[in-house]
Amino acid sequence: MKYFIDTANLDQIKEANDLGILDGVTTNPTLMAKEGIKGEEAVFNHYKTICEIVKNGDVSAEVTAIDFQGIINQGKKLAAIHKNIVVKVPMIAEGVKAIKWFTDNNIRTNCTLIFSAGQAMIAAKAGAAYVSPFIGRIDDSGWDGLELIQQIANIFAIQNIKTEILAASIRNSLHIIRCAEAGANVCTCPLDSIVGLTKHPLTDIGLAKFMQDAKKFE
Ligand code: E4P
């Protein structure tokens, strides 16, 4: 499974990248706004900086238009920023049309706001490189987000669909483990959920004992 970080914060992206396990970045308008980035030039420069930090990883940049032509216009400009930009398009009918257009024009897409298997199937059919089911938001609403990952993974395996399942809206480290078990190809996570995977209290206790004993033969 690939690990993406779900943020537009440069310090967090650098920290995750320094771990040596980072495969990419996802952003969305909420995450960009949180960083206080304003205006097309600043937004584009920010994406460029992210691509330069991650070097070989995909960076999802989301369109803010919701009509076909607007999505195409924005997506073309975003894709021109860097070869690793993946245009993030919402799961709406105009978005599906745009994903097909981008596919036909060799621009990779990530279809976002996926909440059902049917949505994932249609996005894949249009040629999306990634589909992003939002598992945390499904859990928040009282349904089971992981069931959706499993259902999409089963369908894609049976139908031999190559679109990657990018589990999004991750809330904790256990979500990441469960997504891996359920067949997600990628998990996009907040930094603390990634770092959380490295931790276990028995590791801390074991290390403290090793450090103590090491002093005996220094
Ligand atoms: C990433 O692609 C999504 O936009 C993001 O994971 C959504 O997460 P949230 O539900 O925490 O806003």
Side-chain angles (χ1 to χ4, degrees):
M1 190 175 77
K2 287 188 266 188
Y3 293 82
F4 286 7
I5 186 165
D6 193 24
T7 185
N9 182 279
L10 298 180
D11 290 336
Q12 291 190 11
I13 294 169
K14 279 181 200 141
E15 194 176 329
N17 194 56
D18 286 349
L19 278 175
I21 52 88
L22 193 67
D23 298 298
V25 179
T26 53
T27 62
N28 63 33
T30 307
L31 295 171
M32 291 293 281
K34 217 165 140 186
E35 299 309 309
I37 305 145
K38 278 199 175 74
E40 192 176 82
E41 199 186 333
V43 167
F44 283 21
N45 284 339
H46 200 76
Y47 283 133
K48 197 161 174 252
T49 308
I50 293 174
C51 290
E52 282 161 2
I53 295 169
V54 186
K55 291 192 179 74
N56 295 319
D58 284 346
V59 175
S60 284
E62 189 160 342
V63 296
T64 51
I66 52 172
D67 63 293
F68 173 76
Q69 201 51 55
I71 296 172
I72 300 300
N73 294 345
Q74 280 188 3
K76 280 199 286 189
K77 285 198 214 168
L78 289 169
I81 297 171
H82 194 279
K83 66 177 173 46
N84 292 343
I85 290 281
V86 176
V87 179
K88 207 170 170 196
V89 180
M91 170 33 80
I92 50 175
E94 295 286 289
V96 173
K97 276 196 264 176
I99 289 169
K100 177 71 174 92
W101 187 94
F102 287 129
T103 305
D104 292 343
N105 288 275
N106 296 316
I107 291 174
R108 291 180 309 137
T109 52
N110 169 2
C111 187
T112 189
L113 291 167
I114 295 282
F115 293 93
S116 76
Q119 291 179 322
M121 286 159 59
I122 290 298
K125 180 73 183 169
Y130 298 101
V131 287
S132 290
F134 278 31
I135 69 163
R137 292 195 198 182
I138 295 175
D139 287 0
D140 293 345
S141 311
W143 283 278
D144 186 349
L146 288 158
E147 263 179 22
L148 178 59
I149 299 290
Q150 199 141 39
Q151 188 185 20
I152 298 171
N154 286 340
I155 293 169
F156 282 15
I158 291 165
Q159 300 292 335
N160 197 22
I161 292 169
K162 300 296 176 215
T163 297
E164 294 191 70
I165 303 166
L166 195 170
S169 188
I170 296 294
R171 298 278 185 261
N172 53 57
S173 304
L174 186 59
H175 261 164
I176 303 174
I177 297 166
R178 294 280 191 247
C179 281
E181 284 180 325
N185 304 100
V186 189
C187 224
T188 188
C189 328
L191 179 63
D192 55 358
S193 301
I194 300 175
V195 173
L197 289 174
T198 67
K199 296 191 173 147
H200 195 287
L202 289 179
T203 304
D204 297 339
I205 293 166
L207 185 62
K209 172 86 171 113
F210 286 156
M211 293 297 97
Q212 196 184 25
D213 290 343
K215 287 199 186 99
K216 295 176 188 164
F217 59 85
E218 269 169 8

